[in-house]
Amino acid sequence: MKAVVLLSGGLDSTTTLALAKREGFDLFALTFDYGQRHRIELDKAQYIAKHFGASDHQIVKIDLRQFGGSALTDSIDVPTHRDEQEMASEIPVTYVPARNTIFLSFCLAYAEVKGANDIFIGVNAVDYSGYPDCRPEFIRAFETLANLATKAGVEGKSRLKIHTPLIQLTKAEIIQKGLELGVDFGMTHSCYNPIEGGISCGVCDSCQLRLKGFQQAGVDDPIKYKIP
Ligand code: ZN
């Protein structure tokens, strides 16, 4: 049983990879070098894929900087020191236009080539979740599209399934699940705006949600922060 797993090098995708492994899937990891400002996650993803014994790990280079339009791909400042209310008030500038649609399209092509019927993506619709392409209705719609779009789907030999095991979990619950699966979160990276050496800023939305998750889970975050 082969599964394509979208792996960013973050806490959520690493836990998703660990879950797919526990379910007995042969892992095919897919990572994007899309022009993101924090390239450290690519090194992390490489290490993580190897650590979990992925049969294959592809790093696909696409340049979303060509369009820009996000704090992660353009010269727009990453917001910091926001409270939860501010994070939840609107879709943040760290939203990358159509990113998950683009990523899942590549997953679909990779899955069809490898003969995988399962795709895992660590999207989450609980924590602030202003992102439209992290919602269950988006995933369901993409799954329908996937089965209409591929030779495998049309020939009816197999049905493609998109797994979102974290979609309804809080960050603290994801951390607990990861720890149960033996994930070393020291391997992962979440910061939107790390300083040199890959040290996390501690004040961007992603750092704040991660730190709060560890606090609620009652465990220490093993990674280094500039501002804890
Ligand atoms: Zn940060």
Side-chain angles (χ1 to χ4, degrees):
M1 253 183 349
K2 296 174 181 175
V4 169
V5 184
L6 199 53
L7 179 65
S8 71
L11 187 158
D12 295 348
S13 68
T14 304
T15 301
T16 303
L17 188 76
L19 273 162
K21 187 181 170 76
R22 194 189 54 182
E23 286 184 32
F25 285 100
D26 183 9
L27 306 172
F28 290 77
L30 188 56
T31 299
F32 289 90
D33 176 358
Y34 64 90
Q36 61 267 58
R37 52 162 77 206
H38 41 292
R39 304 185 56 82
I40 179 180
E41 52 178 51
L42 300 175
D43 300 333
K44 296 281 183 184
Q46 234 160 357
Y47 182 84
I48 293 161
K50 202 171 281 178
H51 177 84
F52 283 98
S55 295
D56 187 36
H57 180 212
Q58 297 281 336
I59 298 182
V60 176
K61 201 169 162 60
I62 50 172
D63 190 7
L64 295 182
R65 232 166 228 284
Q66 203 163 339
F67 301 150
S70 163
L72 302 188
T73 56
D74 211 335
S75 44
I76 299 168
D77 287 338
V78 169
T80 58
H81 301 92
R82 303 201 309 160
D83 62 30
E84 273 168 68
Q85 212 173 358
E86 286 172 284
M87 288 185 205
S89 65
E90 58 182 13
I91 296 173
V93 291
T94 46
Y95 165 70
V96 179
R99 182 173 57 185
N100 282 345
T101 308
I102 295 165
F103 285 3
L104 281 172
S105 299
F106 275 83
C107 284
L108 189 54
Y110 186 35
E112 188 164 27
V113 171
K114 293 291 175 188
N117 295 328
D118 297 271
I119 292 173
F120 281 75
I121 177 170
V123 289
N124 180 265
V126 178
D127 281 319
Y128 81 107
S129 72
Y131 295 164
D133 53 358
C134 290
R135 294 175 302 158
E137 48 269 58
F138 164 74
I139 298 294
R140 278 196 300 272
F142 196 92
E143 191 176 272
T144 303
L145 176 145
N147 285 293
L148 292 170
T150 54
K151 181 170 180 276
V154 169
E155 287 176 348
K157 288 181 190 149
S158 56
R159 211 183 139 73
L160 206 121
K161 186 169 163 55
I162 301 181
H163 301 252
T164 56
L166 312 183
I167 201 158
Q168 298 296 351
L169 302 183
T170 64
K171 198 58 103 188
E173 288 168 335
I174 295 168
I175 291 163
Q176 288 291 3
K177 198 168 265 302
L179 292 173
E180 281 163 34
L181 293 162
V183 173
D184 169 9
F185 287 115
M187 298 188 290
T188 67
H189 174 88
S190 303
C191 182
Y192 287 149
N193 202 14
I195 57 165
E196 317 103 75
I199 295 169
S200 297
C201 76
V203 292
C204 70
D205 291 359
S206 186
C207 281
Q208 292 204 77
L209 285 166
R210 176 173 170 132
L211 284 164
K212 192 182 123 227
F214 272 96
Q215 198 179 22
Q216 287 176 343
V219 284
D220 288 332
D221 187 346
I223 66 166
K224 279 194 193 133
Y225 288 92
K226 182 179 168 218
I227 305 163

